Structures are given as structure tokens and as C-alpha cells.
Amino acid sequence: MNTPQPVTLGLNGIRLEPLDIQHEHGLREAAADGELWRLVFTSVPEPHETAAYIQTALQTPNRLAFAVIDEGSGKVIGSTSYHDIIPTAARLEIGYTWYAQSYWRSRANTTCKYLLLCHAFDTLGAQTVGWRTDNLNTRSQQAIERLGAQKDGVIRGQQVRRDGSVRDTVMYSLIRAEWLQVKERLEARLGLAG
């Protein structure tokens, strides 16, 4: 697998562009849409921590972070990343994903995942794409399952939440052999099927 490099991806009025400090104000506004930092199981920064959030994303090894842009309004509506990138195993994960609350249950998440999955499997040559989420985050689990990912299991006591409690992490994956069928289903959902 090729190591992911900064790239801009776009479809259906959604653009993913490499996250940079220029996105700070937009990310701050997106996080404030629903006060998302108050959710114990998310990685959404508090408004005063947005610049540090971006710096951490940019400095974390094996992570490539994106700003999610609504092309119609030009607004930053959230962020997502490739992370835990292991080129020798042809594996990466998609995560650190969050959107302004007003974009929940819109096509934004499906579009972003479609773009990232196409790039991972069709351009980078990934064999496995994974996801992980807090066992309390049932909304995220349902969204991952709607994509067609398989639940691999639960890692108990895997991480500390922002409130100091310890979370169990639910792991999912999608492998290359499953990708074509998942891609066709996502294209039908996005109205791309010809």
C-alpha cells in the first residue's frame, strides 16, 4: 500500500482538504453547532482548544487529517482522518470523524466515507480499512455498520475518555474482497449508480 499523502477529494458538494491552521475558525464554529465537545465519547475540541487540536492532528505520526467543507456555503463542517496507517500491512483506519450537529443524518458522512474508502482501496491499494468507536457511541456504530463494515470485536478498557472514565472500544473493518459490493451500495445511496 502507498502511504497516504495530503490530497483534496470532493463529491456531491462535499470537499475533504488537508487540515491546516487556516481551518481553526471554521472548526470552532462547527464544534459549537451542538456543543459537541460536551459529548464524552467524541474527540471534538472545546472552542479554546481548536488550534491545539489541529496541531496535534498535524503532528501525530501515521495520521492524515482532513477538514470537511460544504462547498455550497464554503463552511468547515467537521473533520475526519486516516490514522493508524500501516503501509506494510496495507491497513489504515478512518476516524477522528465529527460533523457540526446540523449536518448529522445528511449525506455528508456517507459522502466523506465513500471518498476516503475509494481513495484507500482504489488509489492507495489498501487491503483493510478499519474503524473504532466508543461502546457508548451507538450513533457511530450504526453509521459504520450502514457502510457495510464488519464488527471485529470489543477491546475492553482500551482508552480513557475526556471525563476520566475508561471506555471499551468497538472495532470494525472492511477488507478488499468486500469493497466492490460495499462501493456499489454506497454509490446507489449517493445517487451515483448508473
Side-chain angles (χ1 to χ4, degrees):
M1 179 181 87
N2 297 317
T3 301
Q5 300 298 317
V7 63
T8 299
L9 306 169
L11 180 72
N12 283 349
I14 297 292
R15 184 175 70 247
L16 299 177
E17 61 186 42
L19 184 64
D20 198 283
I21 199 66
Q22 72 186 17
H23 298 112
E24 178 186 4
H25 179 73
L27 276 185
R28 184 183 299 229
E29 288 186 348
D33 180 351
E35 296 186 349
L36 303 179
W37 66 87
R38 297 188 188 279
L39 300 172
V40 71
F41 48 74
T42 69
S43 62
V44 180
E46 292 188 42
H48 68 278
E49 295 175 342
T50 307
Y53 176 88
I54 293 169
Q55 288 302 321
T56 297
L58 297 177
Q59 295 170 0
T60 300
N62 300 314
R63 181 173 174 189
L64 177 59
F66 296 90
V68 181
I69 312 294
D70 176 336
E71 291 183 321
S73 66
K75 290 173 52 174
V76 177
I77 62 168
S79 184
T80 191
S81 295
Y82 285 140
H83 67 95
D84 287 84
I85 301 163
I86 309 171
T88 54
R91 178 188 170 89
L92 56 75
E93 294 185 30
I94 296 173
Y96 298 96
T97 301
W98 58 273
Y99 306 101
Q101 191 172 45
S102 59
Y103 285 84
W104 290 6
R105 304 300 271 170
S106 72
R107 285 187 164 190
N109 185 51
T110 304
T111 300
C112 287
K113 294 303 186 290
Y114 176 79
L115 289 167
L116 292 170
L117 287 166
C118 283
H119 189 68
F121 284 116
D122 300 340
T123 302
L124 299 175
Q127 293 298 317
T128 306
V129 174
W131 291 265
R132 60 181 76 185
T133 189
D134 191 304
N135 67 310
L136 297 180
N137 193 346
T138 56
R139 178 184 298 273
S140 177
Q141 290 170 53
Q142 291 166 356
I144 294 167
E145 290 168 7
R146 276 194 307 273
L147 291 171
Q150 301 298 310
K151 184 175 178 180
D152 296 325
V154 177
I155 302 173
R156 296 181 294 169
Q158 192 264 339
Q159 188 173 325
V160 177
R161 295 183 184 102
R162 66 176 67 210
D163 69 354
S165 62
V166 178
R167 86 176 204 180
D168 294 343
T169 298
V170 185
M171 301 293 294
Y172 291 89
S173 66
L174 179 67
I175 60 172
R176 177 170 287 283
E178 300 161 339
W179 168 231
L180 184 57
Q181 184 177 7
V182 167
K183 183 177 184 181
E184 289 172 355
R185 197 164 56 245
L186 288 174
E187 287 175 345
R189 281 175 57 192
L190 291 169
L192 303 175

